[in-house]
Amino acid sequence: MAKRDLISIFDLKKAEIENLIKDANILKKEKKRSRPLRGKTLAMIFEKASTRTRVSFEVGMYQLGGTALYLNANDLQLGKGETIEDTAKTLSRYADCIMLRTFAHDNVVKLASAASVPVINGLSDLSHPCQILSDLFTVYEKNKNYKKLTYAYIGDSNNVLNSWIEAAGVLGLHLKIATPRSFAPSGAILETAREFNQTGIKLYNDPDEAVKDADVIYTDVWVSMGQENKREEKIKDFAGFQVNSVLVNKAKHNAIVMHCLPAHRDEEITSEVLDGRQSVVFDQAENRLHMQKAILKLLIK
Ligand code: CP
Ligand code: NVA
């Protein structure tokens, strides 16, 4: 059977996403842990910092009976100029799966095409599929009708938003996106998502419009990893796009507030909201573990 990679949410069918959510839910409730990945190894390459992705994959592999290797890209020969393809072929001889957190998305694509074992995108500049899969699980825990809810994303057009757009495409979600005019999403991901879901993905430049009737309010940092030199400019560009209590009060009364973390407190989201009654951000952080386990079980045979 051909190996499977998880490079983007578009790699999954609707039923597979639903099954991952169900499996994460079972794994979360499991009293006695099954160890289906006994003897298996996950190699994790990081070019960027990580708390949640690293620890959830590492603990997840351990709980499934396997083991995970943390490889800092700069400590590998990769950081000294060995090609991604040669790295992929070498690691495929030792490990049963490779996860990569990188800058250029093409690096994940190249790694996956040269590796003979499954490759997981642990975040690239273009997308962050594992995050959005676990976020969908978090929404499911709060409301089993998660496919029928109204989602509002406020902020930057980044990797996290791209994965939300892909999920909205595959699952047919109603996703309202508010960005400053010059940061509106466009391009292949939006077009492909709209081929699946023609009317459900709507773009706004006014956060108030986007949160109207929303059940879920989502935000992420304005300055993603690798964009630090654009910081001052972006802070100005995103004025008015903060998720604060005034904005949250314009959504449905029982709306939940989500953020993938790490947050820049009092920048894209106020501490009051992040720590407030509607916030589910630490459930999201926990659920990375349960969803990573479901993903690993799906890909590693
Ligand atoms: N949300 C997320 O991917 O967190 P880390 O950067 O800590 O892995
Ligand atoms: N958009 C953020 C997500 C971090 C998990 C970044 O790329 O830095």
Side-chain angles (χ1 to χ4, degrees), residues 21 135-151 215-216 252 254 256:
I21 292 170
D135 292 339
L136 287 163
F137 169 47
T138 302
V139 181
Y140 164 92
E141 282 188 306
K142 312 291 170 198
N143 188 336
K144 299 291 171 280
N145 248 338
Y146 67 102
K147 283 175 279 179
K148 299 269 176 277
L149 302 179
T150 298
Y151 293 73
D215 301 284
V216 176
K252 282 194 185 151
N254 56 354
I256 57 170

Side-chain angles (χ1 to χ4, degrees), residues 48 101 123 128 158-160 220-221 223-225 260-262:
K48 290 175 175 171
R101 168 166 285 200
L123 180 148
H128 196 5
N158 61 16
N159 41 16
V160 167
D220 181 21
V221 291
V223 183
S224 284
M225 290 181 276
C260 58
L261 301 179

Side-chain angles (χ1 to χ4, degrees), residues 50-53 101 128 131 260-262 288:
S50 172
T51 298
R52 283 144 285 265
T53 303
R101 168 166 285 200
H128 196 5
Q131 178 70 50
C260 58
L261 301 179
R288 294 297 306 276

